Amino acid sequence: MTRLDPMVAIYPGSFDPVTVGHEDIARRALRFADQVVVAVAHTPTQAKRSYFSLEERLEMLEEVFADDERIECTSFDGLLVDFARSRESRFVIRGLRAVSDFEYEFQMAQMNRELWNEFETMFLVPNVDFSFLSASLVREVARLGGDISSFVSPSVLRRFQAQGLEGEGL
Ligand code: ADP
């Protein structure tokens, strides 16, 4: 890569579903990257069971980022470093909310560095308003009938409504 090549950054995750916290991180990454590839992992990390199907998660991401052509949404199978290589990128973006995220993220970053020495992990801190937000908490609040409208985009909200999770304010 020369300095003139566009800088492509991969933002991988489960996005189950995409929240305003994820959105904040992807848009922040565009302050230094020319293109951000938001990539839904086929194989969930930390053996998580997914709530929305891969197709649904990808559709929601595409709806959320439809306004910015510099953000591409896709999915990938296998190792992140292999996917990154296939996209000619050696940068991965991850979000750090709190110290609790750090240990796992640090291990992943080191492992990816072992797998590919050129690979760089870049951690971004979200707007403080989103530092408590996680996709699993959003699912939990929705399941219990709470209002999630300030945590997710209207299109994600509609998915929950379609599933009959129409809590107060939904
Ligand atoms: P994964 O299963 O890979 O952790 P997630 O979809 O849960 O995937 O998260 C993807 C990335 O986004 C992770 O780096 C996570 O720390 C980050 N992230 C999730 N929610 C937020 C948030 N509210 N603010 C900032 N970063 C976040």
Side-chain angles (χ1 to χ4, degrees):
M1 185 184 116
T2 70
R3 192 61 198 87
L4 294 177
D5 287 327
M7 184 201 175
V8 180
I10 313 284
Y11 180 31
S14 315
F15 305 106
D16 189 23
V18 55
T19 68
V20 290
H22 292 126
E23 196 179 334
D24 181 62
I25 294 293
R27 295 192 195 277
R28 266 173 210 286
L30 285 173
R31 292 180 177 178
F32 52 85
D34 299 300
Q35 194 196 356
V36 172
V37 179
V38 182
V40 188
H42 280 244
T43 321
T45 52
Q46 297 175 298
K48 291 181 200 166
R49 247 188 79 238
S50 62
Y51 180 79
F52 288 103
S53 71
L54 185 75
E55 291 69 29
E56 287 173 314
R57 285 180 276 152
L58 195 49
E59 276 168 22
M60 288 185 272
L61 282 166
E62 278 164 353
E63 286 161 10
V64 164
F65 294 117
D67 63 321
D68 198 327
E69 62 184 20
R70 294 170 302 166
I71 302 182
E72 177 194 331
C73 303
T74 188
S75 62
F76 74 101
D77 212 354
L79 286 175
L80 176 62
V81 289
D82 291 338
F83 173 67
R85 271 202 191 94
S86 76
R87 298 304 309 262
E88 298 186 351
S89 168
R90 57 184 178 89
F91 301 103
V92 63
I93 306 292
R94 295 288 289 175
L96 273 190
R97 286 160 289 191
V99 177
S100 50
D101 279 340
F102 181 77
E103 194 172 349
Y104 173 73
E105 293 293 340
F106 188 69
Q107 274 186 342
M108 282 272 287
Q110 295 291 14
M111 178 53 82
N112 283 327
R113 172 73 58 70
E114 284 297 311
L115 295 170
W116 183 19
N117 193 36
E118 300 287 301
F119 202 50
E120 300 296 345
T121 302
M122 304 167 86
F123 294 110
L124 296 184
V125 174
N127 183 309
V128 68
D129 293 345
F130 310 138
S131 56
F132 64 93
L133 193 56
S134 69
S136 57
L137 209 51
V138 166
R139 294 194 305 269
E140 187 70 11
V141 172
R143 197 175 61 78
L144 297 172
D147 180 3
I148 56 164
S149 57
S150 52
F151 310 139
V152 296
S153 68
S155 64
V156 175
L157 194 58
R158 282 194 293 276
R159 301 276 170 157
F160 279 108
Q161 287 171 332
Q163 300 199 342
L165 294 175
E166 301 190 30
E168 221 173 285
L170 274 181

